[in-house]
Amino acid sequence: MAKSDDTCILQGPLVFGNVVIGMCGIALTAECIFFVSDPHGLYPLLEATENDDIYAAAWIGIFVGFALFALSILGIVGVIKSNRTLLLVYIILMLITYAFEMASCITAATHRDFLTPNLFLKQMLERYQKSETVNNNDKWMAEGVTKTWDKLMLQNQCCGVRGPSDWQEYMSAFRITHSDADFPWPRNCCVMDAQGSPVNLDGCKLGVPGYYNSNGCYDAISGPMNTHAWGVAWFGFAILCWTFCVLFGTMFYWSRIEY
Amino acid sequence: PAPPALLPYVPRVPPAALPGKLTATTFALERPCCVFDRHANASDTVWLAVAFANASAAFRNPPSRADVPPYEQLPTAHSYMTLETAAATYACSASSPAVLRVGGDTLCGGQGGRDPCNGPLPSPGPYRVKFLVMGCHGPKAETRWSDPILLRRAGSPSTIDPAPVRHGSDVVVIASILASLGAVLAVAVLCATGAEAWGSLCHQDSGTGAFARRSYRTHHIPPALPQPLPPGCRCSPPGLGCFAPRPPGPCPAK
């Protein structure tokens, strides 16, 4: 098969481009597996908002990353052999993968914006320690939210979304079962000793500094979720920009190689 | 008996920023220090009188300990007395927490619990409080009424609006750039394959399409080599065959 000079020059950069795509694909898969594994245990909060699309975006990212890796190998083989069929298959499959990754990026970026403090506040007030659950699904979500918040408040030394006053400003499911006089805010908002009981219960109930957690938990929630969403969205965006160039070059290469 | 001495002290909610000083059913008061020392002796007790703000003027000091209005009478009598403590607790030298919490005891009240009950307040108020020093023969001293204390009223969580204020600019950037890149790619692929297909349809023999350039494998037909003349032939110009005197044998094919 005869080759012109153009194609000879293009081969090097295209192989390099495909190598980078392959490595980025593996990195994307690893990153998305990390996010899906939910190391901070915040998934029950998202599940209860019925808006866990950033997790869907991460799942798509896992498969897209793997597809990018496989296709990059196909691309390298196709470019080196200058085989039009292989390269056509490569281009078409890459376009499909491109479309999926676009969907994943845009979903992650868009749905991150829905995770506002008010969303978590409303959910916390309505579900934390909710005792009169309507059905199994409701019960499951309430248990998830309760366990997650208890763990959050204990581990991050925080209380409520913006602060302990959240529990005072609004009625809540918690308030129905726990009297305001005994529990102005949940016990986990108190500073605990090594055995897991409050250091000074009366001080905690009054809000004496040093005996209760005065800061809100929103930072502890939004930090990992932001990392998750932006990690998927921006890294995917970077990969897609690079893939665009490589695909363009491959299409040009494909059209110039002769039978 | 002489009317109780009126002390100039005004009870108040502590000015410190304590988030729990006013809740829906409790409130905190600054501990009066060094206020009752001149008027109380060791056997006297200091009570806290709590009344609805509009009923404080109608409050009458109880003549003896037996007439102290209990916590359960708050809805009907619009006042009660609680926090019975020894006067020595409020002495100058006593070191004790700087804050008193009214309404913090959820176990008393109801089924004949022990008096006095420091039970949670049933409504947001507003309330007014004053301290009353009770001796063996009745009230000995009282402070002024406090300013009205209004407790918290909790709102409903359904008023919380979880919708985001506006989409971040990041989303717009990502979405617009990706969409345009994707569109460019799709158009490029369509052009490339379209031109290819058009080229192969319209220029089947002499393909000189813009993108497609076919290479022709030329099939090499070797020209026939001149055969050596058979021995009996008289020469004629080569290539014309041979004229043999004998009946012709198989002549070499051209």
Side-chain angles (χ1 to χ4, degrees):
Chain A
M1 275 179 288
K3 277 187 268 188
S4 67
D5 277 338
D6 292 355
T7 53
C8 262
I9 296 177
L10 264 186
Q11 267 193 332
L14 281 183
V15 169
F16 173 70
N18 276 301
V19 166
V20 171
I21 289 180
M23 295 196 300
C24 286
I26 295 188
L28 183 68
T29 300
E31 183 198 26
C32 289
I33 289 180
F34 173 71
F35 288 137
V36 165
S37 71
D38 192 22
H40 296 274
L42 294 173
Y43 183 68
L45 294 186
L46 280 186
E47 198 184 13
T49 64
E50 289 164 353
N51 184 2
D52 56 354
D53 282 345
I54 58 175
Y55 273 83
W59 274 107
I60 295 180
I62 293 179
F63 295 112
V64 162
F66 195 67
L68 283 177
F69 174 68
L71 284 177
S72 71
I73 295 180
L74 177 69
I76 291 175
V77 168
V79 163
I80 290 181
K81 290 198 166 180
S82 288
N83 186 329
R84 281 182 78 105
T85 320
L86 272 184
L87 283 181
L88 188 63
V89 168
Y90 166 82
I91 288 174
I92 291 177
L93 288 180
M94 262 298 208
L95 278 181
I96 296 175
T97 311
Y98 197 92
F100 272 103
E101 182 58 18
M102 256 176 64
S104 163
C105 281
I106 295 180
T107 304
T110 314
H111 284 271
R112 165 63 198 88
D113 283 346
F114 284 112
L115 305 176
T116 54
N118 275 353
L119 179 71
F120 293 113
L121 178 63
K122 187 165 182 160
Q123 180 200 72
M124 177 184 82
L125 292 171
E126 286 175 354
R127 292 200 200 267
Y128 179 73
Q129 301 268 15
K130 183 173 181 182
S131 51
E132 303 124 19
T133 49
V134 178
N135 53 30
N136 266 346
N137 194 29
D138 197 20
K139 185 158 175 276
W140 169 260
M141 286 202 230
E143 278 172 13
V145 168
T146 304
K147 264 204 279 251
T148 308
W149 271 103
D150 282 338
K151 189 170 67 83
L152 256 181
M153 293 197 282
L154 209 53
Q155 280 180 352
N156 298 93
Q157 277 99 47
C158 56
C159 185
V161 173
R162 293 197 189 93
S165 52
D166 288 342
W167 299 102
Q168 287 292 312
E169 280 172 32
Y170 296 99
M171 273 297 294
S172 55
F174 172 73
R175 183 61 61 230
I176 295 175
T177 43
H178 296 76
S179 70
D180 171 80
D182 270 336
F183 295 92
W185 31 75
R187 276 290 174 268
N188 279 18
C189 289
C190 300
V191 172
M192 300 289 199
D193 58 18
Q195 281 77 39
S197 50
V199 171
N200 183 336
L201 190 55
D202 290 324
C204 176
K205 288 186 200 171
L206 269 175
V208 177
Y211 296 124
Y212 79 112
N213 301 326
S214 52
N215 37 310
C217 297
Y218 183 64
D219 285 338
I221 298 175
S222 70
M225 284 198 187
N226 273 349
T227 315
H228 173 142
W230 293 140
V232 172
W234 283 109
F235 187 47
F237 178 73
I239 292 180
L240 287 182
C241 289
W242 179 266
T243 308
F244 173 79
C245 302
V246 172
L247 267 183
F248 222 72
T250 310
M251 280 196 270
F252 183 70
Y253 182 80
W254 176 79
S255 63
R256 302 284 268 192
I257 56 177
E258 296 144 355
Y259 281 110
Chain B
L6 182 61
L7 302 169
Y9 175 76
V10 176
R12 61 175 188 168
V13 175
L18 299 171
K21 67 183 177 186
L22 280 180
T23 71
T25 55
T26 68
F27 61 93
L29 284 176
E30 246 184 3
R31 170 180 286 269
C33 220
C34 286
V35 173
F36 310 112
D37 281 5
R38 284 196 303 129
H39 302 269
N41 47 24
S43 60
D44 295 336
T45 53
V46 180
W47 290 76
L48 181 74
V50 181
F52 283 106
N54 51 12
S56 62
F59 180 79
R60 296 286 162 262
N61 294 333
S64 68
R65 198 196 176 288
D67 300 312
V68 163
Y71 166 72
E72 291 78 9
Q73 275 188 15
L74 179 59
T76 48
H78 303 298
S79 62
Y80 71 109
M81 285 171 63
T82 181
L83 282 185
E84 178 187 22
T85 32
T89 338
Y90 297 121
C92 293
S93 47
S95 68
S96 36
V99 157
L100 298 169
R101 194 159 181 251
V102 179
D105 190 354
T106 48
L107 297 172
C108 71
Q111 59 291 60
R114 59 205 195 297
D115 280 341
C117 178
N118 186 17
L121 297 162
S123 75
Y127 299 95
R128 296 178 86 153
V129 299
K130 73 171 181 181
F131 288 95
L132 197 56
V133 180
M134 295 283 282
C136 311
H137 305 292
K140 287 168 80 171
E142 61 178 1
T143 65
R144 304 166 89 91
W145 285 105
S146 66
D147 290 331
I149 298 172
L150 184 62
L151 300 183
R152 278 192 193 254
R153 223 182 233 115
S156 164
S158 54
T159 57
I160 304 174
D161 180 19
V165 177
R166 56 169 187 83
H167 273 307
S169 53
D170 308 61
V171 180
V172 177
V173 165
I174 289 184
S176 53
I177 294 184
L178 281 186
S180 41
L181 289 184
V184 166
L185 270 183
V187 165
V189 164
L190 285 176
C191 280
T193 47
E196 178 91 359
W198 182 66
S200 70
L201 279 175
C202 293
H203 304 279
Q204 292 229 335
D205 300 316
S206 56
T208 47
F211 285 110
R213 238 193 304 155
R214 294 164 183 267
S215 64
Y216 289 96
R217 198 172 282 136
T218 52
H219 300 280
H220 193 75
I221 305 171
L225 292 166
Q227 302 289 321
L229 291 173
C233 281
R234 273 195 285 275
C235 270
S236 58
L240 275 181
C242 92
F243 296 93
R246 318 184 293 226
C251 278
K254 281 213 198 358

